[in-house]
Amino acid sequence: MCHAFPMFKVIGCLAVLLLSSCNSTNRMLKARPLKLSAFFEQPAQVIDSRKKLPFHKIWMTPDKELEALVVKKTELYIAPATTQHLRPVKKALMRKEIAVGSIDRREEALAHLLKDEFAKAFTKSPHPRYRIVEQPGPNSLTLELALVELNPTSPKGNVVKTAMEFVVGPLALLGGYFTIGNIAIEGKVRDSETGKLFFQFADNESDKLTFLCLRDFKPYGHSAHAIHQWAGQFELMTRTPVGQTIKDTHFFTLMPY
């Protein structure tokens, strides 16, 4: 029973945070917004959208004629996600694990997953605003996606951190700074017929704070989960009236998988 005490203490702390946190607290503790890549157009006109949408930054066209045209579209073509603007791995621990072969580079696989998950969000939605199509056409919009950061989780580091949690308790969570990864994406929506840019978004997600989660022991487990959540958030945004708030995900999770 003495080994269980740190676990209950951590879970209790997280539960208190969940019950007492507000949107501003969640924004403060989540991953920070990143500098936009060259993929993102009109960076000087970007808006901080965190109070209303689950994305750090957005841009929307001021062209009312284009807006009126886009409203009539009922199809969505999702282009293959690009890794052209992907930045190098930042953390020394992850770079070392990649160098020795304990972590594989899976940028292209995650880029494919990015496209697939965004498509699935619409095909599985009970009330999708758009029908997914294989080719752009006169009745479609085109969604372009870019993977701009992909820093893997350190499974070996998290094994050590998890073991330390049973010894020193919640203080071991501080070691997570060195083991957590992150993933960042940018997206653009164009009118497929004219090619005119209508909407853009950018977001960054880091590994969620956990006590024990299987994703901590998979290099890209948290990243794949973030992609799944982004896809659902984007699909929901397309059918949510302008001005309504879409809540962001929490900075922590109590789920074990």
Side-chain angles (χ1 to χ4, degrees):
M1 290 299 292
C2 60
H3 285 173
F5 176 72
M7 177 172 66
F8 290 126
K9 191 170 183 179
V10 171
I11 292 175
C13 290
L14 291 178
V16 170
L17 284 170
L18 174 61
L19 293 173
S20 62
S21 65
C22 59
N23 288 338
S24 59
T25 303
N26 200 47
R27 290 197 303 270
M28 180 180 67
L29 295 174
K30 289 199 70 176
R32 301 291 87 195
L34 300 177
K35 181 180 178 181
L36 295 170
S37 77
F39 176 83
F40 201 102
E41 303 174 36
Q42 293 92 17
Q45 301 171 24
V46 74
I47 297 172
D48 185 332
S49 58
R50 286 175 288 173
K51 290 184 178 181
K52 285 288 186 179
L53 297 173
F55 305 113
H56 284 150
K57 300 173 183 179
I58 65 166
W59 173 91
M60 183 173 249
T61 180
D63 187 340
K64 295 301 180 183
E65 290 186 5
L66 176 59
E67 185 177 346
L69 178 65
V70 165
V71 167
K72 300 176 183 178
K73 301 302 175 80
T74 59
E75 299 173 344
L76 181 67
Y77 166 69
I78 304 177
T82 180
T83 58
Q84 182 180 351
H85 305 279
L86 187 65
R87 301 176 183 121
V89 174
K90 295 186 295 187
K91 290 190 176 181
L93 180 59
M94 286 67 158
R95 290 200 302 268
K96 182 177 180 180
E97 291 195 50
I98 289 171
V100 300
S102 60
I103 292 180
D104 295 328
R105 301 293 295 270
R106 296 193 60 204
E107 291 92 342
E108 294 302 327
L110 269 292
H112 286 299
L113 181 66
L114 189 58
K115 175 182 177 178
D116 290 346
E117 286 293 323
F118 270 70
K120 285 180 184 178
F122 285 87
T123 57
K124 293 185 176 182
S125 171
H127 306 290
R129 170 69 178 81
Y130 299 105
R131 180 174 67 87
I132 298 298
V133 293
E134 295 299 320
Q135 296 292 332
N139 196 37
S140 76
L141 300 175
T142 295
L143 172 62
E144 301 171 2
L145 295 165
L147 186 61
V148 296
E149 280 201 8
L150 182 61
N151 292 284
T153 302
S154 172
K156 288 185 176 180
N158 279 333
V159 168
V160 175
K161 178 177 72 70
T162 301
M164 289 300 296
E165 287 171 5
F166 287 94
V167 178
V168 301
L171 286 176
L173 291 173
L174 298 176
Y177 171 80
F178 302 98
T179 65
I180 63 172
N182 79 291
I183 180 171
I185 63 169
E186 295 173 2
K188 299 190 285 193
V189 178
R190 299 183 185 276
D191 172 48
S192 298
E193 192 170 21
T194 65
K196 291 183 178 180
L197 189 60
F198 172 69
F199 177 78
Q200 299 181 97
F201 66 94
D203 200 40
N204 175 38
E205 287 284 355
S206 59
D207 299 356
K208 293 184 184 297
L209 178 64
T210 69
F211 172 73
L212 184 62
C213 179
L214 293 180
R215 294 197 296 269
D216 285 344
F217 309 105
K218 299 178 180 179
Y220 302 100
H222 285 283
S223 295
H225 186 68
I227 288 174
H228 176 75
Q229 291 186 314
W230 273 323
Q233 290 167 341
F234 181 82
E235 187 280 324
L236 179 60
M237 183 182 66
T238 63
R239 55 186 171 89
T240 299
V242 176
Q244 287 193 12
T245 299
I246 299 176
K247 291 184 179 181
D248 199 0
T249 55
H250 286 290
F251 66 92
F252 67 92
T253 180
L254 299 180
M255 297 296 292
Y257 50 84

